[in-house]
Amino acid sequence: RDDIHAVVGPAYSNHMDRMATLLESSHKVLISPWATSADIARNYAGKDFFWSLVESDITQCEMLISRAIYYGAKKLSLITTSNTYGNTFNDWFPFQGHEMGVEIGDVYIYDGGMSDLRTMTRTALTDGSDAIICVPSRIEDAIEMIRLRDAMEGNPPLLLFSDVAHNETLLTLGKQADYIEGLTPYIAPETGFSIAYKAKFGSAPSSLEGQLYDAFLILFHAFTALDINAAETLNDAIKYVVSSTEPDGTKRTPVSCWQYEALYRQLHNIRNGKNLYDIGGATGDLNFNISMQSSVLRTTYVHWMAYNNRFISLDYLTSDGSRRTEGTMPSWNWNVENIQSFNNTQEFTYG
């Protein structure tokens, strides 16, 4: 359709993969506020139509492991699904766990059916792991995992959930949901967006409303630039407005542009050919690798806990400049001090 210039969404990695396949040939812009699969970011990076507003689940997987280490876990297992969303965790969990100095119990991959989920979860719960990283395909799967854990005798392992479990449906478990924890991409607290949202609507924003807001914020800027012929295509206009430098190399000043005054000044600058701000949104910095434009370079994650029929924010985590998460730095430093280093000229033989 000629009247559609861009698509925002869909929500899930499996749906996003199909949508991206449909839009690739037409080069209509696709902005993904939520899909986090590393396969999607890799498959469509640099193809001049796809933008993702969250880091891939490689980061989320590492952060979940770091949280388990923080709680003292020495042995970890993973339960995940055999779909696009689960593949990233399946691929990276053993490597990241080994690099971070924990024992890997096993990786349990269920086929999406409830019967297989129950079998895999019961096995994981009894394999001697101190903690289990849980990557359910649906919120209903997360609820079943919790029920199976609570049916165990003795001391069950800690369950740490991926972002799928950060869903109001989890709270329907009542007291059974208390103390369940996990991670979710969220709004950077320093932007003030959550405070303004709660003052306006009386409740905190849901887990991914910040990314949705930023998707339209970027498009608003880009369409304005396109309207004055600052770029030839919408995709080029997005590159122009999210760049941290001017075309002549001048570094732009970082400004959070979700607020009215900053947004007004930014649009005025676009229309008048003046230097732009290095745009920030509700979720924080909106900096991309412009050559690959696969995903933002930095995502804030909230470490949440369900308690008393609501979600409580325990901590906020981001990846540092070296792509490691702040929470994993102690374990990374332990590896640096205790595991031998290799020079780049050494030859290896793999059996």
Side-chain angles (χ1 to χ4, degrees), residues 165-201:
H166 195 221
N167 186 302
E168 294 294 324
T169 305
L170 184 74
L171 302 179
T172 62
L173 283 172
K175 291 295 183 182
Q176 201 171 11
D178 283 355
Y179 306 109
I180 294 298
E181 297 181 36
L183 294 179
T184 300
Y186 200 59
I187 296 161
E190 65 269 19
T191 68
F193 183 85
S194 293
I195 296 172
Y197 186 101
K198 189 170 184 178
K200 174 71 173 179
F201 299 106

Side-chain angles (χ1 to χ4, degrees), residues 44-164:
Y44 301 105
K47 293 190 175 181
D48 284 337
F49 81 103
F50 178 79
W51 299 81
S52 176
L53 298 186
V54 288
E55 291 184 72
S56 79
D57 282 325
I58 296 173
T59 300
Q60 186 176 181
C61 185
E62 181 187 9
M63 287 185 174
L64 285 164
I65 295 171
S66 79
R67 293 292 86 184
I69 292 172
Y70 175 81
Y71 283 131
K74 305 297 183 183
K75 180 180 178 181
L76 304 178
S77 287
L78 169 73
I79 303 175
T80 187
T81 60
S82 57
N83 59 20
T84 303
Y85 173 63
N87 286 344
T88 305
F89 295 89
N90 177 32
D91 291 342
W92 284 87
F93 171 77
F95 168 76
Q96 290 175 328
H98 175 75
E99 288 294 303
M100 294 165 67
V102 294
E103 179 184 354
I104 300 300
D106 212 334
V107 175
Y108 301 93
I109 304 174
Y110 69 99
D111 61 11
M114 194 59 72
S115 176
D116 197 34
L117 167 67
R118 291 178 180 129
T119 299
M120 295 295 179
T121 302
R122 289 190 181 104
T123 305
L125 287 168
T126 56
D127 74 356
S129 293
D130 301 311
I132 301 173
I133 306 302
C134 301
V135 185
S137 179
R138 309 171 302 153
I139 184 59
E140 291 81 7
D141 295 352
I143 289 172
E144 186 64 18
M145 292 175 184
I146 295 167
R147 287 172 172 159
L148 290 169
R149 186 207 62 172
D150 289 352
M152 280 188 63
E153 296 181 357
N155 296 318
L158 171 70
L159 303 185
L160 287 172
F161 283 90
S162 66
D163 52 357
V164 168

Side-chain angles (χ1 to χ4, degrees), residues 192-254:
F193 183 85
S194 293
I195 296 172
Y197 186 101
K198 189 170 184 178
K200 174 71 173 179
F201 299 106
S203 62
S206 62
S207 58
L208 295 172
E209 282 187 273
Q211 280 82 4
L212 183 61
Y213 183 94
D214 285 348
F216 289 103
L217 181 69
I218 289 172
L219 285 173
F220 190 26
H221 283 76
F223 277 117
T224 302
L226 195 63
D227 189 50
I228 64 161
N229 299 315
E232 293 185 4
T233 67
L234 180 59
N235 197 73
D236 287 340
I238 293 176
K239 288 183 181 181
Y240 172 63
V241 298
V242 302
S243 176
S244 59
T245 60
E246 291 293 324
D248 64 3
T250 303
K251 189 171 179 60
R252 291 173 174 171
T253 302

Side-chain angles (χ1 to χ4, degrees), residues 31-47:
I31 299 182
S32 167
W34 307 299
T36 52
S37 167
D39 289 343
I40 293 174
R42 181 173 56 250
N43 290 342
Y44 301 105
K47 293 190 175 181

